[in-house]
Amino acid sequence: MGMSVTISTAEHSDAEKILKLQYLCYQGEAELYGDYTIEPLTQTLDELRAELAQGVVLVARLGPEVVGSVRGAVDDDGTARIGKLIVHPRLQRHGLGGRLLAALEGRLAEETAAKRYRLFTGHRSQVNLRMYRKLGYEQVGAAEPVSRRLSLVHMEKSAQGDPTPSLAATA
């Protein structure tokens, strides 16, 4: 292609591009779970704009095109909640998701009192689960049933570089 992908803070004007990319990227998840009413596919532009105003939203650009995004915000207890990591299907499996996640972790560590990073994915999303484990995330607790077809797997890693989650999975 001749261009490199750059990662930067999302701008208000990126909201529509992010939402369109999100819709494209979550089609596979919807198909996997047989549910096209999952939140990433029903989120409105106004809801996305509110997320842009509340937390850190990064985008990956290839020239002027938004080809990836990730969002995060830190709770009062120091837990950085990471969500909606998306990469355009034609650029998946080339490390861009890992780069976006690392950039967000770095930003949240610099700008907030993040003690741990936490995210979730569906229990059947094996590609996502493998990537998160490779990046140091470990499952915490049991999978959380959302519907008959979907359970969420919560994963976490320490912000201090310790790959062991700080919240032990106890019953």
Side-chain angles (χ1 to χ4, degrees):
M1 285 188 193
M3 285 191 261
S4 62
V5 174
T6 60
I7 296 174
S8 61
T9 302
E11 300 170 9
H12 186 76
S13 61
D14 291 324
E16 194 171 334
K17 295 174 188 173
I18 294 168
L19 192 61
K20 286 179 181 179
L21 181 62
Q22 176 177 304
Y23 187 81
L24 173 67
C25 291
Y26 275 92
Q27 293 298 312
E29 291 292 299
E31 183 178 349
L32 184 62
Y33 295 101
D35 183 358
Y36 287 84
T37 65
I38 58 176
E39 190 271 340
L41 296 181
T42 61
Q43 185 176 34
T44 67
L45 188 55
D46 287 340
E47 290 168 342
L48 175 58
R49 285 186 175 132
E51 284 185 23
L52 281 168
Q54 293 172 353
V56 175
V57 181
L58 301 180
V59 291
R61 297 179 199 278
L62 182 60
E65 182 184 6
V66 172
V67 295
S69 183
V70 65
R71 303 169 210 176
V74 179
D75 294 347
D76 291 338
D77 72 350
T79 301
R81 306 234 176 240
I82 297 172
K84 295 188 179 89
L85 174 60
I86 55 175
V87 173
H88 193 287
R90 77 175 188 273
L91 297 175
Q92 290 177 2
R93 300 186 190 217
H94 295 285
L96 183 53
R99 283 182 55 204
L100 274 164
L101 191 54
L104 181 63
E105 290 170 356
R107 274 285 293 282
L108 293 172
E110 282 176 20
E111 298 177 7
T112 67
K115 296 177 184 171
R116 70 193 69 77
Y117 305 109
R118 193 164 225 210
L119 51 78
F120 62 85
T121 192
H123 71 286
R124 293 183 193 159
S125 302
Q126 293 303 314
V127 171
N128 296 347
L129 289 165
R130 266 193 307 276
M131 178 183 71
Y132 296 140
R133 285 185 186 110
K134 180 180 173 186
L135 297 173
Y137 286 80
E138 293 184 9
Q139 183 172 339
V140 290
E144 172 192 348
V146 174
S147 69
R148 219 175 78 245
R149 297 178 178 167
L150 171 63
S151 294
L152 297 179
V153 176
H154 293 267
M155 303 183 83
E156 185 175 291
K157 78 176 185 180
S158 171
Q160 284 72 40
D162 176 2
T164 305
S166 59
L167 298 177
T170 57

